[in-house]
């Protein structure tokens, strides 16, 4: 076998290919397109309702009538999918989160309206109980506060079926219960819902970067000083993430996700290299808020760090990214960035 030894300096001058825009473009290994983007949106009840999320500058909760305008713009920008997150009224929150299974609830109504008006736009719904529970946990706690796995799965299956029957394209279980992907997949098969895809939050870490999101969906106050450490992953672990992904794929997941994003790019890379399946990352609220705050203070160039962070996801192997920057990125791309 012939071994080719790379040239050494001065025969090899790597700066030669960096000299001009055309040669930099020729050797660029990764690119960003609007098809890489999923736009997470917050929806609330009412008409002509718009509420700013104080901890996420530029992000707002919208009522359905306004969300339809946002969806139309996403279609025009080439963003392929929205991810829905509800703010439900405190009056309908209960210990068991039963409102999550209401076929006439906020999310099913939004799903039906989006699919009616924009059938070409992918709609992804969150499967977890935290927006609907009085305690702010993703599942159901016992008398000691421990989240009970099997009882939680029963509720998650009902929630997923409700969304699938409303016409959602993708359900995204973000709860991190053991076995929930298999249970949801079996329920879909039994109901003939064979086309509903599952995007599993397979490696979701017990992260401090979620704070602004919990403000946005109104679960922060309910959660109080409690945590989610008994079901979300320890930030110290990456081998465990591969076990989680393997289990979710075996149970019927079509896509997997790593959350948060930038602090866990090493996990994204490992997952993509190991399984070679559609792999997504979530640039979560805290990541967005940090970049926004720094830009507002003039410490960073907003557009440059926004685009560089997106490129980092692509370089790490992500096939797509859920990001609150999605519309800003798509506009930059449309303008020829």
């Amino acid at each position: 076998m012939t071994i080719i030894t790379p040239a050494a300096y001065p025969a090899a001058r790597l700066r030669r290919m960096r000299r001009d825009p055309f040669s930099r473009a020729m050797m660029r290994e990764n690119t960003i397109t609007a098809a890489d983007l999923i736009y997470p949106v917050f929806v609330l009840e009412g008409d002509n309702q718009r509420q700013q999320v104080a901890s996420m500058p530029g992000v707002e909760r919208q009522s359905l009538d306004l969300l339809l305008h946002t969806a139309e713009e996403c279609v025009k920008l080439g963003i392929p999918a929205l991810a829905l997150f509800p703010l439900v009224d405190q009056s309908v929150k209960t210990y068991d989160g039963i409102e999550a299974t209401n076929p006439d609830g906020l999310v099913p109504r939004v799903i039906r309206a989006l699919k009616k008006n924009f059938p070409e736009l992918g709609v992804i719904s969150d499967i977890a109980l935290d927006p609907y529970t009085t305690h702010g946990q993703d599942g159901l706690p016992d008398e000691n506060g421990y989240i009970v796995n099997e009882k939680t799965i029963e509720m998650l299956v009902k929630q997923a079926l409700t969304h699938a029957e409303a016409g959602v394209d993708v359900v995204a279980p973000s709860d991190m219960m053991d076995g929930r992907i298999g249970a949801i997949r079996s329920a879909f098969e039994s109901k003939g819902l064979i086309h509903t895809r599952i995007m599993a939050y397979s490696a979701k870490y017990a992260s401090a970067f979620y704070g602004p999101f919990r403000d946005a969906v109104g679960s922060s106050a309910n959660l109080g000083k409690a945590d989610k450490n008994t079901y979300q992953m320890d930030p110290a672990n990456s081998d465990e993430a591969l076990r989680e992904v393997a289990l979710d794929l075996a149970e019927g997941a079509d896509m997997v996700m790593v959350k948060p994003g930038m602090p866990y790019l090493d996990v994204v890379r490992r997952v993509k290299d190991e399984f070679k399946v559609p792999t997504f990352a979530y640039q979560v609220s805290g990541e967005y808020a940090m970049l926004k705050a720094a830009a507002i203070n003039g410490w960073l160039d907003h557009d440059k760090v926004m685009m560089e962070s997106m490129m980092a996801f692509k370089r790490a192997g992500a096939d797509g990214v859920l990001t609150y920057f999605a519309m800003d990125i798509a506009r930059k791309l449309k303008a020829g960035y």
Side-chain angles (χ1 to χ4, degrees):
M1 183 177 72
T2 302
I3 298 175
I4 299 175
T5 303
Y9 174 86
R13 293 178 180 265
L14 298 187
R15 290 183 58 194
R16 267 197 293 267
M17 288 295 287
R18 301 175 196 149
R19 184 176 187 275
D20 297 302
F22 85 88
S23 53
R24 290 196 296 272
M26 285 173 61
M27 70 170 189
R28 187 163 293 133
E29 298 173 31
N30 294 282
T31 57
I32 304 167
T33 73
D36 298 321
L37 305 170
I38 297 170
Y39 189 33
V41 294
F42 300 106
V43 62
L44 75 168
E45 294 281 10
D47 295 308
N48 197 33
Q49 295 295 308
R50 191 188 302 274
Q51 297 177 357
Q52 300 297 318
V53 180
S55 53
M56 300 175 69
V59 173
E60 58 189 17
R61 310 176 190 95
Q62 303 173 76
S63 52
L64 174 56
D65 55 329
L66 299 181
L67 181 61
L68 291 175
H69 295 298
T70 299
E72 182 178 17
E73 186 171 1
C74 286
V75 170
K76 290 178 180 178
L77 289 170
I79 296 172
L82 298 181
L84 302 177
F85 298 95
L87 175 71
V88 302
D89 192 85
Q90 188 70 25
S91 64
V92 301
K93 295 186 180 186
T94 57
Y95 160 82
D96 61 2
I98 191 65
E99 178 64 17
T101 70
N102 181 1
D104 296 315
L106 177 59
V107 171
R109 284 187 277 116
V110 171
I111 291 167
R112 288 192 289 267
L114 286 171
K115 294 311 299 181
K116 177 182 177 181
N117 288 276
F118 307 103
E120 71 275 38
L121 181 67
V123 178
I124 303 169
S125 67
D126 182 48
I127 302 300
L129 302 182
D130 52 324
Y132 305 92
T133 57
T134 50
H135 43 75
Q137 295 284 0
D138 295 21
L140 306 181
D142 63 16
E143 62 275 9
N144 298 313
Y146 184 76
I147 304 304
V148 181
N149 201 82
E150 279 64 39
K151 287 185 178 180
T152 296
I153 288 177
E154 290 177 14
M155 289 295 293
L156 296 173
V157 168
K158 292 176 183 177
Q159 182 185 22
L161 284 171
T162 299
H163 292 186
E165 288 166 351
V168 82
D169 299 294
V170 183
V171 295
S174 64
D175 56 284
M176 290 299 287
M177 297 299 113
D178 292 334
R180 89 277 202 212
I181 300 302
I184 291 170
R185 177 58 72 203
S186 294
F188 285 174
E189 289 292 322
S190 70
K191 297 286 187 179
L193 297 165
I194 63 171
H195 301 301
T196 308
R197 281 136 282 192
I198 299 177
M199 175 185 281
Y201 283 62
S202 296
K204 181 178 180 180
Y205 286 84
S207 171
F209 284 94
Y210 302 148
F213 174 91
R214 290 173 183 164
D215 292 340
V217 298
S219 66
S220 180
N222 296 97
L223 185 64
K225 293 184 178 180
D227 60 48
K228 303 186 178 184
N229 294 342
T230 67
Y231 51 98
Q232 294 179 354
M233 283 183 56
D234 187 331
N237 298 349
S238 71
D239 289 348
E240 185 185 12
L242 301 187
R243 295 184 66 192
E244 287 281 8
V245 170
L247 286 167
D248 285 352
L249 291 172
E251 291 175 22
D254 301 290
M255 301 164 269
V256 297
M257 189 200 299
V258 175
K259 180 182 180 182
M262 288 188 69
Y264 296 85
L265 291 180
D266 61 315
V267 180
V268 175
R269 181 77 269 166
R270 289 194 69 187
V271 168
K272 189 62 177 179
D273 286 348
E274 179 75 16
F275 298 101
K276 297 178 174 58
V277 298
T279 302
F280 294 80
Y282 199 144
Q283 187 176 38
V284 300
S285 58
E287 300 173 60
Y288 172 88
M290 287 193 308
L291 295 182
K292 276 287 185 180
I296 289 169
N297 280 284
W299 300 333
L300 293 173
D301 183 306
H302 178 280
D303 289 353
K304 287 184 178 179
V305 296
M306 174 181 73
M307 300 303 286
E308 185 177 339
S309 68
M310 186 66 190
M311 186 61 78
F313 285 111
K314 294 300 300 292
R315 192 183 65 247
D319 295 291
V321 181
L322 287 81
T323 175
Y324 303 98
F325 287 116
M327 292 185 74
D328 289 338
I329 293 171
R331 292 187 191 108
K332 292 287 291 183
L333 293 172
K334 201 172 185 69
Y337 179 87

